[in-house]
Amino acid sequence: MKVLYRIYQVFVAIPVTIVMTIWTALVVGIGCTIGDGHYWGYYPGRWWARVIAYVFLLPVKVEGREHLEENQSYVFVANHQGAFDIFLIYGFLGRNFKWMMKYQLKKIPFVGYACAKSHQIFVDRRGTAKVRATYKAARHILETGNCSVVVFPEGARSFTGHMSTFKKGAFALADELQLPIVPMTINGSFNVMPRMRDWHFVNWHPLSLTIHQPIYPKGQGLENVQQTMAQSAEAIMSALTPEYQGYVENPDQ
């Protein structure tokens, strides 16, 4: 079956992924130029992500959408197991949001173009002024309209499938704007494509996204930031499969 799945990837899944990525980038670029960036910056990407998950025949399970309220902005935080985290969240979360992502992703052909045109938030830590600009952009997104942000607070994909320590940026942003944090647990993405095997064949494995109860601020300041960060990490860890329980330091953070 493994050989057949790889043959299927070569002749079906990979060509469809390439065509869909180029097509989606063009649609997003044109749509955001002439129309509503709030719409065009989300929905084409959502269907792009869904098609890629389906074309690789990956079962997807989502739990916890009932915890989310309509017309409420959130700061979503998730563990970062692998490349397919993007397709899982983008395609199946079901909320309009912007990504907070590494500025280096601008260099990815077509994807970087679409992200820039749709005003995704590039996190640039090369100096105080750039960090300040990053969070100014995030504040603007959250303060103007029904839109959320998604952050991987570990800052980098796992090398082991385990979680590493969180950076406080997303939690400080939520604290400043007094917005709820929503922890999300991703399972299966590390099994599908760990970062050590980028650009290799995809491994078949179910994907799951668990959306936990929102964590509302109980005050403002450093104590609230630390508390929401600890609660988020505990919630995410609680739903990880047993083989990935526990923390492992990520030297790439």
Side-chain angles (χ1 to χ4, degrees):
M1 289 300 295
K2 186 174 183 180
V3 172
L4 290 176
Y5 187 46
R6 289 188 173 184
I7 293 172
Y8 169 80
Q9 290 181 50
V10 170
F11 290 102
V12 180
I14 293 173
V16 169
T17 296
I18 293 170
V19 170
M20 279 297 299
T21 299
I22 295 171
W23 178 84
T24 302
L26 293 175
V27 169
V28 169
I30 294 169
C32 290
T33 299
I34 65 175
D36 179 6
H38 190 61
Y39 177 91
W40 292 103
Y42 170 66
Y43 286 98
R46 178 186 180 186
W47 285 107
W48 164 77
R50 282 187 170 228
V51 167
I52 290 173
Y54 290 145
V55 80
F56 279 100
L57 310 178
L58 302 174
V60 174
K61 180 180 179 182
V62 181
E63 296 179 311
R65 285 201 193 99
E66 68 276 8
H67 297 150
L68 306 178
E69 298 178 18
E70 289 188 29
N71 303 316
Q72 170 67 57
S73 294
Y74 294 104
V75 177
F76 291 97
V77 296
N79 59 312
H80 203 1
Q81 280 201 335
F84 273 73
D85 297 346
I86 305 301
F87 306 123
L88 181 60
I89 294 175
Y90 217 163
F92 299 93
L93 175 57
R95 301 287 292 205
N96 199 324
F97 66 86
K98 301 293 184 185
W99 293 100
M100 291 186 70
M101 59 180 66
K102 288 183 175 182
Y103 75 93
Q104 292 95 329
L105 296 178
K106 277 186 179 181
K107 299 177 182 179
I108 298 177
F110 297 104
V111 173
Y113 164 78
C115 289
K117 292 294 289 185
S118 58
H119 303 291
Q120 307 301 325
I121 303 161
F122 291 100
V123 179
D124 193 338
R125 297 190 175 92
R126 297 174 297 174
T128 304
K130 293 183 182 295
V131 172
R132 193 179 298 119
T134 294
Y135 286 96
K136 181 179 179 182
R139 283 194 298 271
H140 177 73
I141 292 295
L142 289 164
E143 289 175 333
T144 55
N146 179 26
C147 195
S148 300
V149 298
V150 173
V151 187
F152 295 115
E154 292 166 273
R157 286 176 291 158
S158 172
F159 282 102
T160 64
H162 295 78
M163 279 172 52
S164 185
T165 54
F166 285 178
K167 298 178 184 295
K168 69 178 182 179
F171 307 95
L173 177 66
D175 175 75
E176 180 181 337
L177 299 177
Q178 289 292 279
L179 289 173
I181 293 273
V182 179
M184 302 188 297
T185 302
I186 292 169
N187 280 301
S189 180
F190 184 78
N191 303 82
V192 170
M193 183 176 283
R195 66 179 298 179
M196 304 83 71
R197 293 184 56 80
D198 282 348
W199 310 110
H200 286 65
F201 284 108
V202 168
N203 299 313
W204 187 93
H205 195 279
L207 294 168
S208 72
L209 179 67
T210 303
I211 304 166
H212 298 278
Q213 291 274 5
I215 300 171
Y216 289 86
K218 297 178 180 177
Q220 192 166 21
L222 181 59
E223 184 177 351
N224 181 61
V225 170
Q226 293 174 334
Q227 185 176 27
T228 55
M229 185 162 60
Q231 285 180 273
S232 297
E234 182 179 0
I236 294 170
M237 182 72 76
S238 71
L240 277 172
T241 55
E243 64 183 314
Y244 298 124
Q245 287 285 328
Y247 289 93
V248 174
E249 184 180 357
N250 186 341
D252 193 37
Q253 278 193 308

